[in-house]
Amino acid sequence: MPGRRTSVAVAALIGLAACGGAGEGSGADGIPGRMTINGGDYAVTLIDADAAAGTSNGVSIEHIHVDGRLAGSRWSDPLEFPGQAIVVVDGRTEHLPSDATGSPLVSAAYGLGPAGAVIGRGGDCRDLAGFPLVSHGFVWRPGPGGYVKVEAPGSVRAGPPWCPAFNSTTPYDMNGLGVMVGDYEGDDGRRRGFVGSLGALEDYVPSSAPASLQVGLRGINAHGELVGELVEDNGVGRAFVDGRDGLVRIEVPGATWSLARAISDGGVVAGHYGDTRGVVHGFLWQEGRVVTVDVPGATYTQLNGVNDLGQLAGTVEFVVSPGRSLTRGFVLTPLAPP
């Protein structure tokens, strides 16, 4: 396997004893504009696509590329979750049109690949109550004919009469070589991971793991190292990484469940977990070391992305007034190497 390239910022992040220390410059939302991590300063940026115009009830950020682009979704009505796929470039929010995702009703962007590729999942039908259904995966690239529906082998399932083309494939990540990962639900109701390029997707079968476990794949790096979750018979998912050391289960102290969401080329894994109180925290892992990541002022921190510049990205919720909370994306950017 090729040697890893690890930035100073990423190496410093995983060397923390704790993450989410005191913040400075706290705004009206209670989220600081700066926080200290392992002796270094990090800028905290909230991603509130269209929120200034009062049109976003929620924003979720699912991925951060090494060039700083972000992928996620925004929604104006909680009943329309996951809303509409977005890509954020230099602070500017770009909404993917419905013909780009094959999703006239709802869509969400989960990852970014080469040549401007955006991958995610969308919906083009409703359930009996009239709510949009997320019904298929997609890859979109700029230019004519840029939308391609993604279907893993064995994933096409006969949908109900109101959604006959339902497909359970969800692509989550794509590396610089165009290799994609994700998961799907088969006709037996079991979840399986897949890996490969468009038109050549194959089931991922983890080595040294019981065949009874269900698999969710979420991330891949340039070296082909994979992360995701192994779902036990009781339905509880546990984070794992499959890399140069083989399959490794990530043990997160105090976690009742865990999910590894992304892996940098340097081997740093980003994910999130739930504790015994039901609170969601972010975490970083590298070579057996685990760090909890909590954005100060947030009621939960869902860490979804990490890049080789040491930037972290994800989704937080915070209270703005009694009985009212907002969901926003966030980016943590190192201001100087710790």
Side-chain angles (χ1 to χ4, degrees):
M1 181 172 294
R4 291 194 179 115
R5 175 175 56 85
T6 307
S7 75
V8 174
V10 169
L13 271 173
I14 204 64
L16 301 177
C19 185
E24 299 177 4
S26 179
D29 51 31
I31 304 296
R34 178 178 293 191
M35 58 188 290
T36 301
I37 301 177
N38 198 35
D41 289 333
Y42 286 73
V44 181
T45 303
L46 289 183
I47 309 300
D48 56 353
D50 301 332
T55 58
S56 283
N57 181 280
V59 176
S60 176
I61 295 300
E62 301 289 339
H63 177 89
I64 183 166
H65 197 269
V66 70
D67 63 12
R69 288 180 298 148
L70 306 170
S73 64
R74 60 159 293 275
W75 58 96
S76 57
D77 185 338
L79 298 180
E80 295 178 353
F81 181 83
Q84 185 179 20
I86 60 172
V87 176
V88 181
V89 182
D90 296 328
R92 183 182 70 259
T93 301
E94 301 176 356
H95 299 76
L96 269 65
S98 60
D99 59 351
T101 62
S103 314
L105 298 178
V106 292
S107 61
Y110 293 127
L112 299 167
V118 181
I119 64 174
R121 188 157 167 78
D124 51 11
C125 54
R126 298 180 183 272
D127 63 16
L128 289 178
F131 299 128
L133 288 175
V134 180
S135 58
H136 64 270
F138 69 84
V139 174
W140 175 81
R141 290 184 175 89
Y147 161 73
V148 178
K149 190 173 184 178
V150 179
E151 298 179 354
S155 66
V156 179
R157 307 177 66 205
W162 57 89
C163 193
F166 177 84
N167 183 286
S168 61
T169 303
T170 303
Y172 283 101
D173 198 10
M174 178 185 287
N175 67 14
L177 300 176
V179 180
M180 186 165 44
V181 297
D183 54 44
Y184 70 94
E185 186 176 327
D187 287 331
D188 59 1
R190 296 181 58 78
R191 193 145 56 100
R192 297 173 173 84
F194 68 82
V195 60
S197 56
L198 275 174
L201 301 178
E202 299 179 353
D203 277 5
Y204 162 73
V205 180
S207 60
S208 68
S212 62
L213 295 180
Q214 300 183 59
V215 179
L217 278 185
R218 292 294 189 273
I220 183 171
N221 66 10
H223 310 303
E225 296 175 302
L226 307 171
V227 295
E229 65 175 341
L230 298 176
V231 183
E232 302 167 352
D233 293 338
N234 60 6
V236 175
R238 299 291 183 181
F240 78 93
V241 55
D242 193 346
R244 65 179 183 181
D245 297 322
L247 183 73
V248 176
R249 299 188 189 217
I250 297 175
E251 301 295 335
V252 182
T256 58
W257 59 267
S258 58
L259 170 66
R261 184 61 181 83
I263 181 169
S264 73
D265 291 348
V268 176
V269 176
H272 45 276
Y273 70 93
D275 64 19
T276 56
R277 299 174 299 154
V279 179
V280 177
H281 310 267
F283 76 83
L284 293 171
W285 176 95
Q286 187 177 38
E287 298 179 351
R289 291 172 290 172
V290 176
V291 175
T292 292
V293 179
D294 285 318
V295 174
T299 55
Y300 78 69
T301 300
Q302 181 175 303
L303 186 58
N304 295 323
V306 57
N307 67 19
D308 278 336
L309 299 180
Q311 292 177 299
L312 307 174
T315 304
V316 292
E317 182 178 85
F318 54 90
V319 176
V320 292
S321 62
R324 181 171 179 257
S325 298
L326 288 179
T327 303
R328 292 289 182 264
F330 73 88
V331 174
L332 302 182
T333 301
L335 299 176

